Amino acid sequence: MPESVVKSKLLLISLLLLLLAFAAGIIQAVIGLQTNGILSRFAFFWTMASGLLMLAQLTPAILLVAASTSGEMADEKNSYTVNAMQTLLPALILAGLVSIFYLLLVPQLQARRNLYLETSKLFTQSLQAGRLATQEGRLQEARQLLLVSRAIDIDNKDYLKADEKLQAALIQDAQQQLELQQSLPPVQVQDNDNWESGNDFYLQAQQALADERYFDAYFLARQSVAMYPHRQEIRNFVTEVWNLLQNSGPPAARKAEAELYERKVAAYKLLLDRNYLAAYRAFLLLSAEAPQDIDIQNYLKRSQESLAELYFFTEDLERAFRQHRPLPFHLVVTDDENRHELTAEKAVATLDGVYFQGLEYRQSGSTTIALSSPYGRLAGNTLIPRAVNRADPGEVYNENWQAGSHSDMTSLSALPFDDTAAREVLIFTENPRDIPLHTLVANLPKAEKLGVDPVPLRRELAARMAYPFATIMLVLLGTAIGMRFRANKRPGPLAILFGSPVLVLLALLPVELFKALGLMLAELAAQYTGNTTFTLAWLSILAVFTILSLLVSARIASYQNS
Amino acid sequence: MKKLAGITIRYFIVLLCVTVFTSLIILLSLNYGQGADSEADLLTRLRSQLLQIPLAMIPLSVIISCFLSFFSASRLYTKRFTGYLTFTVLNWLMLAGLSTLIRLVLPTFRFELSLAGGSRLVGLFPGYIGYLSFYDAVQTESWLIMLLLLLAPAALIAACWPFVRLTKNRPLYGAFLGPPIVFGLVYLFSVYASDGVELLFNFINFIQPMHFRLAILAGASIPALYIFDLVFASPPAGIRAKRRISNA
């Protein structure tokens, strides 16, 4: 290890304080386990993540205090330059570690911690609602609710108890049903085998008659009489069926077939006329009546495919909104002739496109288009502002074209933006802190073109770029403060161990102030520069402030007590 | 005399730097040119705020520069009284100068209104706007009363000197304690100017306007801080330096 690292106490004190902060975070997390309702299977990671996040929160103040203590303990004979040089290498090591920690680990930890918190809350809510439903006898609902809890933590004791109660309630309910059935007057059963066989034939004959299969009905009724001739009602039935057989016209099945065929042709005509919604409705009805009919299934599929050019299914939208977190949406694109603005109350991106709720689209310029729709989908560069319920095609959501607007669906099929652009807008709509660094860097130049305010994104990037510089500034300033306020006697290990946490707490407020000032400067830089100049401008500001902090530190250190 | 000159110069340099820096940040964050103002309106607004915002930042700058000068005073002065006197006079000169300037040159100026648009920087000091209302209120009094009332906050700021000299064995505590005390002092002033204190005064049937209440409470806090200095704080380092020299 280089001599400067050994001589400077910065790394050692930083490590000690970081460990203390981690321990404090863990203790706080353990205390908060119960109040936050964290499940036992998440407890370990939750505690560790909380410890590390506490560490992240206190790291700037720890660096300042560690550097101060290190400066306080530095050799009195040395000048600030010598001490600063000794501190520089450990400071650079710390800057690297801190930057990696903040850039790569902290966002992941934050996300996982939030996920565990939300999942634990969902488990508890489902469990409580499930218990209540069990108590109130809503057993099917209780089963559904407990399934949610089961999916999250199958081995949880509370879940197992609640499930046990539910199973007991279900058994009790089943017994009650059974008792109810048993309390009904028993069906008279004939012991005679012939009676039973005859009765079976009789029942089958009745079914055949209901299906208008008169030949079958007559044959089966005759079989029944042959097996057990003592039942008068069956003999009457045989006579009745024979009369029907003689007097009836063509079989009803054939009539139904003919009718079905006619309806198939009508639906087919609708498809040929490009009336896809009506065709889909007709084929859907036919499909329910004749699920075995290959023609109907084939054309139902085709009408559905054709319908997808003009409508999408609300079922897909609902699934998309269930599976992804919806975000507000606003996209602006300007091409040579027009300005296109697409806004939505909520939007989610899926593999098959971007779905919108509360959609508004405006195009101004050479062509004016203004429409609104309850739902919409952007797939490729085609916007579909119409939706239909797959199971009930009568439930249709159409767009409203505003008066004076060019109202032609083909104008929405070749838009100058596509679902990829919409996905990028959705990425930018996230909290900038949640955007991964590589995504932020790669997509920032596109933000302005898509009508997204680039200032918060640039501010976030500025904050992330500042980590290594801030670390070096804190160490330089801390070393100088330590040298300036050097004690007459070097503080002992116990004084450092017990005094440093107090200093960290005191340093939190000024560090927060400097952080806020830094963010304000970053916002100003983001506001007054363009995409190309922003990075350069911000790096220059950081460099200037690092040099300034070096000069100020040298000045502070020059007033040593001794 | 040389020490006094050194401290005074440092005090005013820090005051100037803090005022300019904070005012610049506030002015730049006001989003000029993004509203619907015409160019003429914009220029008028900019011109008025170029003067108003630095003026509104001076009371905060006085507190910050006084605290930063405490460290020099601890190193240079040998007597507590000299330090208190120096800082009380410097603070009072700045605050009285500011109020005089406003009374003579800008009679319609209001501190609270100049920062009414809000700024995240001011938001970092909870209660600062409330504290500023004191400086608006003293403008309604006669010259003599105004100058006397301003003496109270000036002396209270100066009386916080012992906090940076709190520990003899480890002066680092004083250095780290300073910034939280600045925040605390601004908050304390806002508490003194608050309606809660008015209720308290009304309860004891001692009805006074807000600026008088603040001055009375600030004045009452000063002796407490002086006693705190005598009991807990270490004497200014100048004493030790002198002793060391004499021992040598």
Side-chain angles (χ1 to χ4, degrees):
Chain A
M1 198 177 276
E3 199 187 348
S4 62
V5 179
V6 178
K7 274 189 179 176
S8 165
K9 300 281 185 288
L10 179 68
L11 272 182
L12 187 72
I13 300 167
S14 301
L15 262 175
L16 177 77
L17 289 175
L18 289 170
L19 275 174
L20 280 175
F22 182 59
I26 285 187
I27 291 167
Q28 193 192 32
V30 169
I31 293 167
L33 272 174
Q34 191 74 33
T35 47
N36 287 304
I38 302 298
L39 293 173
S40 51
R41 63 179 292 206
F42 301 144
F44 178 73
F45 187 85
W46 159 270
T47 312
M48 289 294 133
S50 300
L52 286 170
L53 286 172
M54 170 72 97
L55 192 73
Q57 202 185 338
L58 296 178
T59 297
I62 284 174
L63 286 176
L64 186 70
V65 171
S68 304
T69 314
S70 161
E72 201 183 11
M73 294 169 77
D75 198 339
E76 275 183 49
K77 289 168 194 165
N78 286 347
S79 67
Y80 174 69
T81 319
V82 174
N83 284 335
M85 287 300 284
Q86 278 183 358
T87 322
L88 206 59
L89 187 59
L92 286 172
I93 294 171
L94 274 175
L97 291 174
V98 165
S99 305
I100 291 169
F101 178 57
Y102 275 101
L103 292 175
L104 302 179
L105 205 60
V106 171
Q108 300 284 337
L109 284 171
Q110 193 82 49
R112 296 297 286 182
R113 191 170 171 253
N114 289 345
L115 179 74
Y116 286 148
L117 184 65
E118 281 168 19
T119 313
S120 298
K121 272 186 186 165
L122 180 64
F123 175 89
T124 313
Q125 283 168 358
S126 305
L127 191 70
Q128 284 171 350
R131 278 178 186 154
L132 191 70
T134 310
Q135 276 175 7
E136 291 173 358
R138 293 177 280 119
L139 299 181
Q140 288 309 314
E141 195 185 332
R143 182 186 273 177
Q144 290 295 323
L145 286 162
L146 289 183
L147 272 176
V148 175
S149 299
R150 179 192 167 89
I152 295 169
D153 191 357
I154 194 169
D155 298 324
N156 187 282
K157 281 179 189 170
D158 292 335
Y159 159 72
L160 290 173
K161 271 185 194 169
D163 189 53
E164 208 172 291
K165 277 187 184 170
L166 175 68
Q167 296 306 326
L170 282 169
I171 290 167
Q172 202 178 353
D173 188 56
Q175 275 175 345
Q176 281 173 354
Q177 295 287 336
L178 195 66
E179 280 167 14
L180 197 70
Q181 279 176 1
Q182 283 170 351
S183 66
L184 292 172
V187 180
Q188 205 172 4
V189 180
Q190 297 286 331
D191 291 334
N192 193 318
D193 283 348
N194 286 342
W195 187 94
E196 274 183 12
S197 306
N199 193 53
D200 283 346
F201 279 119
Y202 177 47
L203 291 174
Q204 285 176 42
Q206 278 182 324
Q207 183 61 48
L209 182 65
D211 297 342
E212 298 184 1
R213 289 181 285 116
Y214 300 122
F215 291 98
D216 291 346
Y218 184 70
F219 174 78
L220 290 163
R222 289 280 305 266
Q223 286 289 325
S224 174
V225 172
M227 292 299 291
Y228 191 78
H230 307 298
R231 290 176 68 179
Q232 185 58 42
E233 74 268 28
I234 299 177
R235 287 204 298 271
N236 293 342
F237 182 73
V238 171
T239 315
E240 189 188 332
V241 173
W242 177 246
N243 289 335
L244 278 170
L245 185 67
Q246 282 184 320
N247 299 326
S248 65
R254 280 190 204 159
K255 271 199 232 167
E257 256 177 44
E259 194 195 333
L260 187 75
Y261 186 77
E262 271 175 36
R263 285 167 61 202
K264 261 164 66 174
V265 171
Y268 184 67
K269 274 182 188 164
L270 287 170
L271 189 64
L272 289 181
D273 293 343
R274 304 173 74 86
N275 192 346
Y276 301 128
L277 183 60
Y280 177 70
R281 282 178 188 161
F283 279 119
L284 194 69
L285 283 172
L286 290 169
S287 162
E289 287 173 31
Q292 306 300 325
D293 191 312
I294 296 164
D295 282 343
I296 290 173
Q297 294 308 322
N298 191 14
Y299 283 100
L300 174 69
K301 199 177 164 192
R302 284 192 189 183
S303 64
Q304 187 175 322
E305 282 166 7
S306 305
L307 184 67
E309 291 170 20
L310 295 172
Y311 288 83
F312 65 90
F313 293 109
T314 49
E315 182 194 21
D316 298 337
L317 177 131
E318 282 162 10
R319 191 174 51 239
F321 273 76
R322 263 201 314 273
Q323 288 174 351
H324 301 85
R325 191 161 64 93
L327 293 165
F329 184 87
H330 183 233
L331 176 143
V332 180
V333 173
T334 309
D335 59 13
D336 296 339
E337 294 176 345
N338 296 303
R339 181 179 184 271
H340 309 261
E341 187 176 2
L342 182 64
T343 53
E345 287 165 15
K346 290 177 190 172
V348 290
T350 64
L351 288 174
D352 53 338
V354 179
Y355 289 91
F356 304 100
Q357 190 179 321
L359 170 87
E360 275 189 34
Y361 173 68
R362 282 173 196 283
Q363 184 180 316
S364 53
S366 58
T367 317
T368 306
I369 299 175
L371 67 91
S372 61
S373 174
Y375 302 114
R377 189 183 73 179
L378 182 70
N381 60 354
T382 303
L383 177 67
I384 300 174
R386 297 167 173 176
V388 59
N389 188 328
R390 195 196 299 265
D392 177 14
E395 192 185 322
V396 179
Y397 301 93
N398 281 319
E399 76 284 9
N400 290 316
W401 300 88
Q402 280 188 13
S405 161
H406 176 83
S407 52
D408 178 9
M409 280 295 286
T410 53
S411 57
L412 302 178
S413 61
L415 294 168
F417 54 86
D418 56 9
D419 56 340
T420 311
R423 279 173 223 279
E424 281 162 1
V425 170
L426 279 172
I427 289 172
F428 294 135
T429 317
E430 291 265 0
N431 185 345
R433 281 186 190 178
D434 297 340
I435 304 174
L437 183 66
H438 59 90
T439 314
L440 191 64
V441 174
N443 293 304
L444 189 58
K446 298 176 196 167
E448 216 162 357
K449 287 179 195 162
L450 298 169
V452 176
D453 182 9
V455 173
L457 302 169
R458 286 187 201 148
R459 189 180 56 204
E460 179 59 26
L461 184 63
R464 296 189 196 185
M465 281 161 73
Y467 292 139
F469 289 90
T471 308
I472 291 171
M473 280 188 244
L474 284 169
V475 169
L476 288 174
L477 272 171
T479 308
I481 291 171
M483 288 173 69
R484 162 70 178 81
F485 297 97
R486 202 195 298 272
N488 290 335
K489 256 176 35 182
R490 272 194 181 191
L494 280 179
I496 292 173
L497 189 68
F498 292 108
S500 299
V502 177
L503 289 175
V504 169
L505 290 178
L506 290 173
L508 278 177
L509 207 56
V511 164
E512 280 303 309
L513 176 72
F514 281 108
K515 198 171 142 189
L517 281 172
L519 283 176
M520 276 184 221
L521 275 176
E523 190 158 334
L524 289 174
Q527 212 168 318
Y528 290 100
T529 54
N531 272 332
T532 43
T533 50
F534 166 69
T535 312
L536 197 65
W538 181 239
L539 282 174
S540 308
I541 290 172
L542 287 173
V544 166
F545 271 86
T546 309
I547 293 167
L548 266 178
S549 67
L550 181 66
L551 295 174
V552 170
S553 306
R555 186 80 183 152
I556 292 171
S558 68
Y559 298 111
Q560 292 190 37
N561 271 344
S562 55
Chain B
M1 245 359 230
K2 205 176 165 185
K3 290 175 187 174
L4 176 67
I7 285 172
T8 309
I9 289 169
R10 190 162 296 126
Y11 178 93
F12 282 111
I13 289 173
V14 173
L15 186 103
L16 189 72
C17 290
V18 174
T19 310
V20 169
F21 182 71
T22 51
S23 305
L24 259 178
I25 292 223
I26 294 176
L27 281 167
L28 285 171
S29 58
L30 287 177
N31 295 331
Y32 286 104
Q34 292 189 5
D37 292 346
S38 68
E39 203 173 321
D41 289 343
L42 192 70
L43 276 174
T44 316
R45 193 155 69 96
L46 185 64
R47 211 174 291 140
S48 74
Q49 284 180 337
L50 265 176
L51 186 65
Q52 286 183 357
I53 288 172
L55 289 179
M57 292 317 293
I58 285 177
L60 179 66
S61 305
V62 165
I63 298 177
I64 294 172
S65 50
C66 185
F67 266 78
L68 287 174
S69 306
F70 282 159
F71 299 114
S72 304
S74 304
R75 191 167 46 84
L76 295 172
Y77 282 144
T78 52
K79 287 177 184 164
R80 291 180 171 98
F81 175 73
T82 329
Y84 286 133
L85 187 66
T86 306
F87 289 119
T88 305
V89 170
L90 284 174
N91 294 340
W92 181 77
L93 278 176
M94 274 317 299
L95 297 176
L98 174 70
S99 297
T100 307
L101 178 79
I102 289 165
R103 184 170 276 207
L104 295 177
V105 184
L106 300 160
T108 55
F109 175 79
R110 287 287 173 272
F111 280 102
E112 284 175 273
L113 292 175
S114 68
L115 289 173
S119 159
R120 277 168 57 196
L121 180 70
V122 178
L124 293 172
F125 291 90
Y128 186 57
I129 302 275
Y131 172 47
L132 283 181
S133 61
F134 168 78
Y135 293 94
D136 282 333
V138 292
Q139 293 291 336
T140 57
E141 298 297 335
S142 66
W143 278 99
L144 183 66
I145 300 290
M146 181 185 87
L147 296 175
L148 280 173
L149 285 171
L150 290 170
L151 199 58
L156 181 59
I157 298 166
C160 291
W161 188 24
F163 288 111
V164 302
R165 293 182 278 109
L166 203 57
T167 50
K168 197 174 177 179
N169 294 332
R170 238 184 140 189
L172 201 59
Y173 284 115
F176 276 83
L177 195 60
I181 296 292
V182 171
F183 285 92
L185 190 59
V186 173
Y187 188 69
L188 184 72
F189 278 130
S190 76
V191 170
Y192 286 172
S194 68
D195 294 342
V197 170
E198 187 183 5
L199 288 173
L200 203 69
F201 270 66
N202 291 349
F203 182 70
I204 56 167
N205 212 12
F206 185 53
I207 295 161
Q208 293 293 328
M210 180 271 286
H211 49 296
F212 275 90
R213 290 197 306 268
L214 188 142
I216 291 165
L217 288 173
S221 310
I222 295 164
L225 286 170
Y226 288 164
I227 294 166
F228 176 81
D229 187 358
L230 288 170
V231 176
F232 295 108
S234 64
I239 295 173
R240 292 205 300 273
K242 202 177 171 184
R243 275 182 196 154
R244 211 179 292 147
I245 290 161
S246 63
N247 286 342

